[in-house]
Amino acid sequence: MSPPTTPSRLSHARDLSRPGFYVKLVLVMLVNAMGVYGIMACIPLEEWGVLAFLVVTLLVVDYVYFSNRAIPAKYLVPGLIFLAVFQIYVMVNTAYVAFTNYGDGHNDNKSAAITQIMKTSDRRVDGTPTYPLTVLDRDGRIAFAIVQDGEAKVGDAETPLAPADGATVEGEKVTEVEGAEVLNLGQIQQRQKEVLDLRVSMTDDPADGWLRTDNGTMAYVAKSTLTYDEAADTFTTADGKVFKADPSRGLFVAEDGSTLSPGWRVNVGFDNFTQMFSDSRLAGPFVKSLVWSFAFAILSVLTTFAMGMLLAVVFNDPRVKGRVLYRALFILPYAFPAFLAALVWRGLLNREFGFINQVLLGGADINWLGDGNLAKLSILLVNLWLGFPYMFLVCTGALQSIPGELTEAGIMDGAGPLRRFGSITLPLLLVSVAPLLISSFAFNFNNFSLIFMLTGGGPNYPGAPYPLGETDILISMVYAIAFEGGERQYGLASAMSILIFVVVGLISWLGFRQTRKLEEVL
């Protein structure tokens, strides 16, 4: 007689009689709703790569969470999706941008550049009518509405004029458009630059011109003063000057070297990487920032580790009274937000009104943050104040894990305190904290917030093409090139980001190799 079999019980996520299934159903429905919304948004923008990713992701999510054959994947899929979006995509996109001329003047493709060139070199077409203009705010964007041939039409920077169904027309002017706000004169004045810079194409054909305004109340048809020859890929001015497309630079260039702006994005190979060393205006600040980045990271790790370890050894001695109170006090700098602490120190180190100069040094005139060397010293001291509590905590935990028998054995062998520390305590301590020292180096190599909040990278180098300073490390230099300069160069900034990635990765690899050797020796 065979033993009675126990009926199998459905998972709570597949059992329709249990609330877990409905929780799963609602969550997956929300994911699908957001995914479908993203797919619909991708179609008009022609973002086919993102669309394909969303479609595949939704199929995978639906299969995994409604199948009983992919139980481990239920736990892995969310993390893998975030990994793909926030790590892999960012890395791949950064690598792609590093090999292009993407930046100010090269933000879009060639077709958009041609349209923009024609629109920025326009003039009114003689004999064309003038239209009473209604300025609209449509989803945060300025749009124009006019009455043409008795029909209300609306367009903006990206869409040409098109009939506006349901619009209200009074006389020859549009007074109301569904889904848009009609701006009054006060609102138009507040957004004057957007209104005056706007060009709304009359049709899909740029040759038909575009609508523009000089006062926000009347609009006229304008056309470019340049003639574009698609077959020859050239622009010709009214006086016969020819600008020919240069695919290697992404620009229209004349024989005398003058160019038309904007250009378009093209692949420039390793130009961004070589520019760091070949551009005489950039090479000097780059090499100095590279050296300072290494010096800052290494000295920060050494000083904070030395201070933290010293305090940990002292306050690990049971003969010290009130150790709990002291340990709590040492953690305070670590508990305070680093960027706020940097701002406080910036005020304390102020040359004219800072507490250090005025009170501690009796009114001394020391330019802590305005002199290059003193600014670097200030950064190291502030980072020591911010960083030693972390090392103190790490070393305290590591010291408490070292068996007391080893120290007692050293005493029995006649070793003094320094010999026991150098031969027993320090090697065992390094085995525990070496990976953390490597991560601390990587963190300080990219410690952007401290540099940005304390000195802003300054004092600046005179004559540099970007606002670069003596205390800039590589990551703050990347920020200055990408966002602070008069001409933003995302391609060059991305190339520098890749260099930082390689340096940190190489140092980490070497560090972990040395850590394994230390473990093998012990």
Side-chain angles (χ1 to χ4, degrees):
M1 181 177 179
S2 61
T5 58
T6 303
S8 60
R9 187 176 182 182
L10 288 175
S11 166
H12 68 281
R14 295 175 56 81
D15 188 350
L16 297 179
S17 64
R18 304 179 68 180
F21 174 81
Y22 297 98
V23 172
K24 180 188 74 171
L25 187 63
V26 170
L27 292 177
V28 174
M29 287 172 61
L30 290 175
V31 171
N32 276 272
M34 290 188 289
V36 171
Y37 175 79
I39 291 171
M40 296 174 64
C42 288
I43 293 174
L45 298 176
E46 299 182 355
E47 294 287 350
W48 308 122
V50 180
L51 187 147
F53 172 78
L54 290 174
V55 170
V56 172
T57 301
L58 289 182
L59 292 175
V60 170
V61 168
D62 289 344
Y63 172 75
V64 167
Y65 287 99
F66 288 102
S67 170
N68 58 355
R69 299 180 179 178
I71 293 177
K74 289 180 171 63
Y75 303 95
L76 294 175
V77 163
L80 292 175
I81 293 175
F82 284 112
L83 176 68
V85 174
F86 295 108
Q87 292 291 333
I88 297 177
Y89 171 75
V90 172
M91 293 172 63
V92 172
N93 192 51
T94 301
Y96 163 73
V97 173
F99 291 92
T100 70
N101 61 348
Y102 183 32
D104 281 354
H106 299 273
N107 288 316
D108 219 322
N109 55 35
K110 186 177 180 181
S111 175
I114 291 173
T115 302
Q116 190 62 26
I117 289 172
M118 295 180 70
K119 285 187 175 181
T120 53
S121 57
D122 60 359
R123 67 180 179 184
R124 181 172 182 174
V125 179
D126 295 335
T128 55
T130 301
Y131 301 95
L133 179 67
T134 301
V135 182
L136 306 172
D137 182 325
R138 192 164 61 176
D139 297 330
R141 292 182 177 179
I142 295 294
F144 287 165
I146 62 170
V147 178
Q148 187 181 37
D149 300 329
E151 185 179 25
K153 294 185 176 180
V154 177
D156 56 27
E158 297 181 357
T159 56
L161 288 175
D165 297 333
T168 303
V169 178
E170 293 183 5
E172 297 182 348
K173 188 171 183 178
V174 177
T175 58
E176 186 176 353
V177 175
E178 187 177 348
E181 178 189 2
V182 176
L183 302 185
N184 57 36
L185 287 178
Q187 292 171 315
I188 293 174
Q189 288 179 347
Q190 291 177 355
R191 304 176 70 174
Q192 183 178 14
K193 189 175 186 308
E194 293 178 73
V195 174
L196 298 183
D197 289 345
L198 181 60
R199 307 288 190 273
V200 178
S201 298
M202 300 297 291
T203 66
D204 291 328
D205 186 358
D208 291 334
W210 41 85
L211 203 66
R212 59 170 299 185
T213 181
D214 292 332
N215 51 28
T217 59
M218 302 297 291
Y220 56 85
V221 178
K223 288 186 178 180
S224 176
T225 58
L226 298 171
T227 302
Y228 178 64
D229 185 340
E230 186 173 359
D233 204 8
T234 59
F235 272 108
T236 305
T237 63
D239 56 1
K241 188 174 183 179
V242 177
F243 292 83
K244 188 175 182 180
D246 183 350
S248 63
R249 299 172 59 188
L251 284 170
F252 285 96
V253 185
E255 289 185 355
D256 60 1
S258 57
T259 61
L260 295 176
S261 183
W264 62 94
R265 267 184 286 177
V266 294
N267 191 311
V268 295
F270 288 91
D271 286 358
N272 289 322
F273 294 90
T274 58
Q275 185 182 354
M276 288 182 266
F277 304 96
S278 60
D279 188 336
S280 58
R281 300 172 303 164
L282 184 62
F286 171 75
V287 173
K288 290 178 182 177
S289 292
L290 180 63
V291 174
W292 166 235
S293 297
F294 275 104
F296 168 67
I298 293 172
L299 290 174
S300 292
V301 173
L302 292 179
T303 54
T304 54
F305 175 66
M307 176 68 80
M309 182 182 64
L310 175 64
L311 293 174
V313 170
V314 171
F315 290 95
N316 196 49
D317 192 324
R319 293 172 296 180
V320 177
K321 304 298 182 184
R323 288 185 297 162
V324 175
L325 175 62
Y326 287 121
R327 286 171 176 170
L329 291 176
F330 289 146
I331 296 173
L332 286 179
Y334 190 50
F336 200 63
F339 72 97
L340 288 178
L343 287 177
V344 171
W345 275 103
R346 184 171 184 165
L348 295 174
L349 293 167
N350 184 276
R351 180 178 184 177
E352 297 179 358
F353 311 107
F355 181 82
I356 294 177
N357 274 356
Q358 295 302 317
V359 178
L360 296 184
L361 300 179
D365 183 22
I366 301 177
N367 193 5
W368 292 101
L369 304 179
D371 178 83
N373 293 327
L374 287 177
K376 291 176 181 175
L377 177 62
S378 301
I379 289 172
L380 289 172
L381 292 176
V382 172
N383 205 30
L384 173 61
W385 188 82
L386 289 171
F388 86 85
Y390 172 72
M391 294 297 180
F392 170 71
L393 290 173
V394 170
C395 291
T396 298
L399 287 173
Q400 291 176 350
S401 67
I402 297 176
E405 292 81 0
L406 295 176
T407 304
E408 293 174 2
I411 295 174
M412 295 293 293
D413 289 340
L418 291 178
R419 178 64 184 276
R420 294 199 301 274
F421 178 77
S423 301
I424 300 174
T425 305
L426 185 59
L428 292 174
L429 187 66
L430 287 176
V431 171
S432 301
V433 303
L436 299 176
L437 295 181
I438 296 170
S439 65
S440 179
F441 173 86
F443 171 79
N444 283 296
F445 200 82
N446 292 316
N447 196 346
F448 171 80
S449 61
L450 175 63
I451 302 297
F452 187 76
M453 292 296 179
L454 191 60
T455 66
N460 286 354
Y461 292 114
Y466 307 99
L468 306 177
E470 294 186 43
T471 58
D472 264 321
I473 57 177
L474 287 180
I475 191 65
S476 62
M477 190 175 181
V478 168
Y479 179 82
I481 292 173
F483 301 110
E484 289 190 330
E487 187 178 356
R488 301 174 182 180
Q489 294 295 334
Y490 304 124
L492 178 60
S494 297
M496 296 183 68
S497 299
I498 291 177
L499 179 65
I500 294 173
F501 174 79
V502 172
V503 169
V504 173
L506 182 61
I507 295 295
S508 300
W509 177 68
L510 292 174
F512 282 117
R513 284 197 61 183
Q514 295 303 318
T515 302
R516 282 200 297 270
K517 290 181 179 178
L518 187 59
E519 292 173 350
E520 292 170 359
V521 169
L522 292 175

